[in-house]
Amino acid sequence: MAEPVVRIPDAKVALSTASVYPESTATAFEIAARLGYDGVEVMVWNDPVSQDIDALRRLSDFHRIPILAVHAPCLLITQRVWSTDPWTKLQRARAAAEKLGASTVVVHPPFRWQRQYARDFVTGIWRMADETDVRFAVENMYPWRYRDREMLAYAPDWDVTKDDYRHFTIDLSHAATSRTDAMGMVDRMADRLGHVHLADGNGSAKDEHLVPGRGSQPCAELLERLALTGFDGHVVIEVNTRRAMSGAEREADLAEALAFTRLHLASASRGAPGTTGAPASSASPASSGPSGSPSPSPASRASGGPPQSGSHSSVPAPSAPSAPPSSSARSSRRSSAKARRR
């Protein structure tokens, strides 16, 4: 009888540069490399380095860690970063991703007061997605709440599954803040789930972004499902470490988040009858590195500890995005979205 084996899926675990705030973008690269993350997601914000493609490339090369995703500057505090025109921001985010080798641009739905941008958003995102291999993964948001009042700040909707997009980002902290069934949202996203922001939450009106495992969200359940379904996107740790009393405490939180993620991404599978070990077809980073050299064991990867000396010299390139759907599929999806809006 075959023995159970641990299989590490192809999904890479990245660190969002927002996770080290108020420290700098450069600090995020340093910590990600030291802890053994597979890459980083760059949050483009007020830090000049986050806006500078050449500076980002130098950081990536110096620390030997790839940039897997770019988060477009669509926060309230980044309204003037790169441009005041939202479409220009997305064009620059796409150009940055293409030049840096990132496979994904994360984008929020428009604010409700961005009326023209909001009206054209769904069709505009499809148009931009048709012009590049980079995924535009639209992220779920939440209503703004204060005491017993609620404001719908995003349009067409904070629940992005109500509209038709090629790729989605699921953020579990946002799901907690919106008091939404996160796994139900994942079900609605189905095979269009292309990117994950992993963080926990307890349903507070504040967007908490807790370390996974410290809140009430189904972080472990989501990761285990991703492993079982062969998810090929990226899982990005996007947590709030602002209250860390020291750099060591912040780093410990980020190491804990990485260990939690890798532990639950590892799924038990059995080899074929009469064999031991993983089937030949299930080759993964657990069995060999990108150049054919042995990779760290699943146990060492799950520990979140630093990589072995020189391990970042063979960091794999970001996985290629999936092929876009046919024009007939897009037409069908757009028609269904229009029917829902009516």
Side-chain angles (χ1 to χ4, degrees), residues 259-280:
F260 179 99
T261 303
R262 286 204 169 132
L263 174 65
H264 291 285
L265 272 178
S267 62
S269 61
R270 293 181 180 273
T275 65
T276 60

Side-chain angles (χ1 to χ4, degrees), residues 104-124:
T104 303
V105 168
V106 179
V107 57
H108 294 179
F111 292 112
R112 188 166 291 277
W113 54 84
Q114 297 174 303
R115 294 181 181 177
Q116 186 60 51
Y117 178 47
R119 276 195 294 268
D120 299 337
F121 185 68
V122 176
T123 55

Side-chain angles (χ1 to χ4, degrees), residues 50-72:
S50 72
Q51 306 170 32
D52 187 329
I53 294 174
D54 291 334
L56 293 170
R57 184 182 290 113
R58 287 194 295 271
L59 283 170
S60 178
D61 291 344
F62 180 80
H63 292 289
R64 297 179 179 178
I65 190 164
I67 297 169
L68 301 180
V70 173
H71 196 309

Side-chain angles (χ1 to χ4, degrees), residues 26-286:
T27 299
F29 276 82
E30 180 184 348
I31 291 174
R34 184 159 56 242
L35 293 180
Y37 278 83
D38 298 318
V40 298
E41 174 179 298
V42 174
M43 170 68 80
V44 181
W45 65 299
N46 298 324
D47 182 349
V49 171
S50 72
Q51 306 170 32
D52 187 329
I53 294 174
D54 291 334
L56 293 170
R57 184 182 290 113
R58 287 194 295 271
L59 283 170
S60 178
D61 291 344
F62 180 80
H63 292 289
R64 297 179 179 178
I65 190 164
I67 297 169
L68 301 180
V70 173
H71 196 309
C74 42
L75 306 176
L76 277 175
I77 63 171
T78 61
Q79 291 300 289
R80 295 185 177 276
V81 171
W82 275 353
S83 173
T84 57
D85 175 62
W87 290 116
T88 300
K89 290 172 180 284
L90 296 190
Q91 289 164 0
R92 292 190 65 171
R94 178 185 65 192
E98 290 171 343
K99 291 176 181 177
L100 294 168
S103 63
T104 303
V105 168
V106 179
V107 57
H108 294 179
F111 292 112
R112 188 166 291 277
W113 54 84
Q114 297 174 303
R115 294 181 181 177
Q116 186 60 51
Y117 178 47
R119 276 195 294 268
D120 299 337
F121 185 68
V122 176
T123 55
I125 289 293
W126 271 100
R127 183 180 63 251
M128 293 190 72
D130 284 337
E131 297 169 353
T132 181
D133 289 334
V134 173
R135 293 178 173 180
F136 280 88
V138 185
E139 184 173 5
N140 64 301
M141 298 305 291
Y142 47 85
W144 292 359
R145 294 190 179 93
Y146 178 71
R147 295 182 180 173
D148 59 346
R149 298 182 179 180
E150 181 175 290
M151 174 184 175
L152 300 179
Y154 299 96
D157 205 288
W158 61 263
D159 181 353
V160 294
T161 64
K162 292 183 178 179
D163 288 283
D164 179 40
Y165 302 106
R166 181 176 295 173
H167 291 108
F168 294 108
T169 295
I170 182 72
D171 185 306
L172 293 190
S173 178
H174 293 179
T177 304
S178 65
R179 299 167 190 171
T180 299
D181 175 4
M183 296 307 293
M185 181 171 279
V186 169
D187 288 339
R188 295 193 297 276
M189 292 177 174
D191 60 355
R192 288 186 282 172
L193 175 61
H195 200 69
V196 174
H197 279 172
L198 193 69
D200 221 325
N202 287 310
S204 167
K206 294 183 178 180
D207 185 19
E208 297 171 285
H209 283 273
L210 304 176
V211 170
R214 297 185 186 178
S216 60
Q217 289 303 289
C219 297
E221 181 183 350
L222 173 61
L223 292 169
E224 289 161 9
R225 180 182 295 191
L226 296 178
L228 290 171
T229 57
F231 178 69
D232 66 346
H234 306 313
V235 178
V236 178
I237 303 300
E238 190 183 71
V239 297
N240 184 345
T241 62
R242 273 175 270 185
R243 294 187 178 181
M245 300 300 292
S246 65
E249 184 178 339
R250 172 175 291 108
E251 201 159 318
D253 283 347
L254 298 177
E256 179 184 331
L258 177 61
F260 179 99
T261 303
R262 286 204 169 132
L263 174 65
H264 291 285
L265 272 178
S267 62
S269 61
R270 293 181 180 273
T275 65
T276 60
S281 61
S282 64
S284 70

